[in-house]
Amino acid sequence: MGCSLPKVSGSGDVTSPGRIHSTVRKAQIYTQGGMAYTYHFLDFLLGKDEVGVSSLLCLSSVRELPVRVREWCGRGYELVAVHPFVHPCSPESASMYRSLHRAVLIKEANRSEKRLECCLETDVCFCGHQVPNPEVIQNYMKKVQDLADKGLDLVGLLQQPGGGPYFPGHWDPEELSSLHSSPSPIHSQSELIQPQANQIETTSPDMSPPNTTRAEMELRRPSEQESYKPEQGGVQLFALYKHTKNLIGSQRYYSVKIPLQLQWEAGLVTGVNAHWLDHMNQHFLNGAILSDGFLCLTEDSAPSVVEGVFIFQASLDNTLETTSYDAIVVEQWTVIDGVAVKADYTPLLLSLAPYGWRLMCVLPTPLIHTNSDGSLATKQILFLQRPKQLRRRRERRG
């Protein structure tokens, strides 16, 4: 089902919501959903040590992200999505923009700023010289389920630009304190990485490296043989986890492959299309929520159809009544000038937040074009969900 949402006042086609797919009609989108949300957006450069813009956050590795969102967790927010604005396999003309990312945090509008336990964990789920294919992502689902059974929920997958920095085999407590995280051993350069659960990097508010004994530090350090120096152009794919609010072992994770049609012109992607709800709606009706999506696309080919892998989470408790969900899928343009985001999906989310629509994931695409003023326009696909509302029938009179 398609519908249209109102355009932002004074905006052109690029800055307005694009094509909309929804399981509800336009009039039903703006009905109270029993919940309202507040969003916070944290933009950062990933793989950069510093830039000339002092107000922009720079992270050398995905491993540094957990400590950077700790402040907002202390204000009642939780991390709901992390994404690059430009797909890693975008054209070379967009290479300077590939390091620009966003973390989206959310909280219930009526929640007080009571400090929440912020414990995010990172896991290297793939390391190699080629972009992981759908089978690699699907094989990693066993690890996702194993961690869910131990009380961790998947937030999303995030690729490290350029393969990421080299992490030496020996760490001083001062170095660990500055990073607020510790690397897990990496045993292979080209195979799927499946470290044990106790090798996942953890960041928690109670962490105090100066009080850590030398023996404990040695347990956390990877050996020289286990460390990896990714070559330029290598791929590291991280998985981000948060501690679950659900009963441990009550959730099931599974993946679904969805075909996407690509249009090409002069070697550039000019269109990305998919019948999103045809593939997803039954999962939403069965009570599943979308955790994240990954578009498997390489730079050295121009296929007309590629496969996106989407990860769903569903309840295993058959004794509870299943909650069905409505969904909105929005194709949204973002305008970037230098390292500043000039127009994006923020107004759209803020307009939907009072009606209980929760952002689930943001899928970047390689679809870009350069505007006349030199800024870059690129498209993302947004996925939102809300518990299905009961349709009230008008009572007949007489």
Side-chain angles (χ1 to χ4, degrees):
M1 180 184 296
C3 65
S4 59
L5 295 179
K7 295 182 180 295
V8 181
S9 178
S11 63
D13 291 337
V14 171
T15 57
S16 299
R19 187 157 34 187
I20 308 292
H21 311 268
S22 176
T23 59
V24 297
R25 297 177 180 177
K26 179 179 178 181
Q28 297 168 337
I29 290 178
Y30 295 98
T31 56
Q32 293 298 327
M35 181 71 69
Y37 293 108
T38 300
Y39 283 98
H40 177 73
F41 308 95
L42 182 65
D43 292 347
F44 61 94
L45 293 177
L46 182 56
K48 301 288 185 181
D49 292 326
E50 60 181 54
V51 293
V53 182
S54 60
S55 61
L56 190 62
L57 185 63
C58 298
L59 307 182
S60 62
S61 169
V62 176
R63 292 179 171 95
E64 297 183 49
L65 183 60
V67 74
R68 298 297 186 173
V69 301
R70 179 184 298 172
E71 173 189 355
W72 295 99
C73 292
R75 300 182 183 183
Y77 287 86
E78 63 175 305
L79 185 64
V80 68
V82 184
H83 68 90
F85 282 97
V86 179
H87 193 276
C89 291
S90 58
E92 186 61 30
S93 60
S95 59
M96 66 173 291
Y97 301 96
R98 292 176 186 169
S99 60
L100 186 60
H101 291 66
R102 171 172 288 176
V104 183
L105 299 103
I106 192 173
K107 73 171 182 177
E108 297 176 14
N110 57 356
R111 179 188 292 274
S112 62
E113 292 193 359
K114 180 181 179 181
R115 182 173 181 83
L116 298 178
E117 180 182 3
C118 180
C119 191
L120 297 174
E121 308 190 5
T122 61
D123 180 37
V124 180
C125 60
F126 176 83
C127 194
H129 298 287
Q130 300 293 329
V131 176
N133 57 37
E135 286 67 32
V136 168
I137 305 299
Q138 290 187 313
N139 289 339
Y140 184 70
M141 293 306 301
K142 182 180 184 303
K143 180 66 176 293
V144 174
Q145 186 61 56
D146 289 343
L147 294 177
D149 293 339
K150 294 178 174 64
L152 296 177
D153 276 345
L154 179 70
V155 176
L157 305 176
L158 191 61
Q159 183 172 322
Q160 177 79 30
Y166 164 64
F167 288 92
H170 298 289
W171 287 77
D172 293 328
E174 290 78 11
E175 294 174 323
L176 182 62
S177 179
S178 66
L179 266 184
H180 292 271
S181 61
S182 58
S184 60
I186 301 174
H187 302 285
S188 172
Q189 298 184 6
S190 60
E191 297 178 350
L192 176 69
I193 307 303
Q194 293 188 349
Q196 299 299 318
N198 59 2
Q199 294 173 336
I200 298 176
E201 303 90 0
T202 305
T203 300
S204 66
D206 300 329
M207 190 174 185
S208 53
N211 297 328
T212 305
T213 66
R214 179 166 294 276
E216 291 171 334
M217 286 299 302
E218 291 294 338
L219 288 175
R220 295 180 182 178
R221 297 173 183 168
S223 68
E224 292 290 352
Q225 291 78 14
E226 289 172 333
S227 299
Y228 172 49
K229 309 177 202 86
E231 297 180 5
Q232 187 67 25
V235 177
Q236 277 183 291
L237 187 64
F238 284 81
L240 284 158
Y241 295 89
K242 62 184 176 182
H243 280 235
T244 180
K245 297 179 181 179
N246 304 305
L247 294 176
I248 294 178
S250 64
Q251 301 297 308
R252 176 175 69 94
Y253 281 89
Y254 63 94
S255 60
V256 175
K257 291 194 291 186
I258 295 179
L260 286 77
Q261 290 77 38
L262 303 182
Q263 287 80 47
W264 297 82
E265 184 176 334
L268 299 178
V269 177
T270 57
V272 178
N273 299 296
H275 300 289
W276 301 111
L277 296 181
D278 290 348
H279 296 282
M280 292 184 171
N281 193 35
Q282 192 58 48
H283 299 279
F284 298 145
L285 291 176
N286 292 337
I289 61 173
L290 181 63
S291 292
D292 199 18
F294 188 83
L295 176 56
C296 303
L297 181 64
T298 61
E299 296 175 330
D300 54 0
S301 62
S304 59
V305 178
V306 296
E307 288 183 327
V309 180
F310 292 85
I311 302 172
F312 289 88
Q313 178 189 15
S315 175
L316 283 174
D317 193 344
N318 296 325
T319 63
L320 298 177
E321 184 178 352
T322 300
T323 300
S324 296
Y325 293 91
D326 282 317
I328 298 175
V329 182
V330 184
E331 301 178 14
Q332 173 72 56
W333 285 96
T334 292
V335 178
I336 306 172
D337 187 6
V339 292
V341 177
K342 296 300 184 181
D344 61 7
Y345 55 74
T346 299
L348 173 67
L349 290 188
L350 296 182
S351 70
L352 295 174
Y355 303 98
W357 292 102
R358 180 185 175 99
L359 179 69
M360 306 310 296
C361 86
V362 179
L363 185 71
T365 75
L367 188 60
I368 66 167
H369 67 76
T370 303
N371 299 321
S372 58
D373 60 358
S375 62
L376 182 84
T378 180
K379 180 175 283 190
Q380 299 88 41
I381 314 296
L382 281 69
F383 300 84
L384 301 96
Q385 284 182 242
R386 182 179 73 177
K388 188 175 289 291
Q389 305 298 303
L390 294 177
R391 314 299 188 213
R392 293 185 178 180
R393 298 180 179 178
R394 294 182 179 179
E395 296 182 359
R396 295 183 179 180
R397 296 182 178 179

